[in-house]
Amino acid sequence: EALGFYQRAIELEPENANFHASLGHAYLEAGQPDAAIATLRAAVALAPNKASHPYNLASVLMKIGRTEEAGPPLARALELAPDDPEMLGNYAVWLRHSGRAAESVTRLEEALRTWPDSALLHSHLGVSLLEDGRVAEGIRALEIAVPLDPNLAQTRYNLGIAYARSDRPGDAIPQFEALLQLSPPTAELLDILGTLYGQTGRYDDALASFQKALALDPAHRNARSNLEAVQAYLRQQSRR
C-alpha cells in the first residue's frame, strides 16, 4: 500500500526528493533493498544539499551490509550537518565497521568535548574502545552512557557483554535484567542471563531463565545444553 502511494506521488511530483526518500524506505520495508537504494540515490540527486538524504542512503547501505559504499554519503551528510551528534555517531560507527576503530575513538572523543552529555556518543565510544583493545576504557565509557539514558537497550547489552567477557558476571546481570524490562525477551538474551546466573551460583534463577528461553525457542541448542548442564550439576550436588 505504501509503495503504491509514493509511486503515485512521484508520478505527480517527479522532482520531489522527499517522496523519493519515502518510497526508498517503503521499498526497504517490502524487502526490496536494491530498489530502495536506487530510489534513495535519486533523492540525493534531487536535493544534494539536504543532509537527511545522504544520511538515509548511508543508513540503509550499512543496514544491508554494504558498509564500504556507505562512507561517501555518510561523509557528505556530516559535511552538510556538522553539528548533528547522531550523524557524527553513525560516521564513527562506519569507521569502526571499516576496521578503523582508533580513528572512530578520536572522532568520538572530539565530539564529546562539544556534547559531553550525549549518551549515544559515549555508547559509541565505548564500543569503539573495546574494538580497539582498550577494554577498561570501553567499559567506563559505557558505564557513563547508561545513566545518561537508561533506556538505550543496545548500550546495556554492550556493557553487559563487556562485563561478562571481563569475568564480571555479577556486574553483567543487572544490565541484562534491565534489558528484559526494556524490550521483549528473546531466547538468546535469556540464555545469556541464565549462564550469568549459573556463574554466580544462582542455580534456581539459571534453571528458570533457560526454561523460559526454551519456551520461546524449543530448538535453541545452547539453552538446552546449559539447562541440562545445570540440572546434572544439581543432581551431583544432591548426592553428596
Side-chain angles (χ1 to χ4, degrees):
E1 186 176 341
L3 283 175
F5 175 82
Y6 288 116
Q7 286 166 342
R8 288 190 295 274
I10 288 171
E11 289 174 4
L12 294 171
E13 295 186 43
E15 303 300 312
N16 189 311
N18 291 331
F19 287 163
H20 283 274
S22 296
L23 178 60
H25 287 294
Y27 275 129
L28 187 66
E29 290 296 319
Q32 301 180 51
D34 290 338
I37 289 166
T39 309
L40 289 168
R41 289 192 193 280
V44 173
L46 288 167
N49 294 318
K50 187 173 181 179
S52 62
H53 295 319
Y55 179 75
N56 288 334
L57 172 60
S59 297
V60 170
L61 287 165
M62 289 182 67
K63 187 174 184 178
I64 65 173
R66 292 166 61 174
T67 304
E68 187 173 348
E69 293 177 61
L74 198 50
R76 176 58 177 162
L78 192 57
E79 179 184 342
L80 292 168
D83 296 327
D84 189 317
E86 181 181 346
M87 290 188 186
L88 198 150
N90 276 347
Y91 184 66
V93 170
W94 176 79
L95 288 171
R96 187 172 73 241
H97 288 175
S98 301
R100 298 158 65 182
E103 189 176 344
S104 175
V105 167
T106 299
R107 281 295 198 118
L108 289 164
E109 288 176 337
E110 290 173 354
L112 281 164
R113 296 189 188 103
T114 303
W115 299 287
D117 296 326
S118 170
L120 195 60
L121 291 179
H122 281 288
S123 182
H124 287 318
L125 176 62
V127 177
S128 293
L129 285 164
L130 290 170
E131 290 204 11
D132 199 36
R134 297 160 64 179
V135 177
E137 293 172 82
I139 288 175
R140 180 57 188 146
L142 292 168
E143 288 173 336
I144 292 171
V146 167
L148 287 172
D149 188 348
N151 295 321
L152 277 178
Q154 190 62 49
T155 303
R156 287 191 178 274
Y157 179 86
N158 290 334
L159 180 56
I161 292 294
Y163 281 144
R165 290 176 177 171
S166 300
D167 296 321
R168 298 170 60 181
D171 290 324
I173 285 171
Q175 302 307 320
F176 288 105
E177 288 178 334
L179 278 174
L180 292 177
Q181 306 302 316
L182 292 174
S183 56
T186 64
E188 179 189 3
L189 178 59
L190 289 163
D191 179 56
I192 293 171
L193 189 54
T195 300
L196 294 167
Y197 284 142
Q199 290 172 350
T200 54
R202 295 171 59 178
Y203 299 114
D204 289 342
D205 289 331
L207 289 173
S209 194
F210 293 136
Q211 288 164 346
K212 289 176 183 176
L214 289 167
L216 290 173
D217 181 3
H220 198 288
R221 285 187 283 183
N222 275 355
R224 188 164 300 282
S225 176
N226 288 331
L227 174 63
E228 291 171 354
V230 173
Q231 289 172 330
Y233 174 78
L234 293 175
R235 283 196 299 270
Q236 184 183 44
Q237 292 298 108
S238 68
R239 296 192 192 106
R240 292 184 177 181

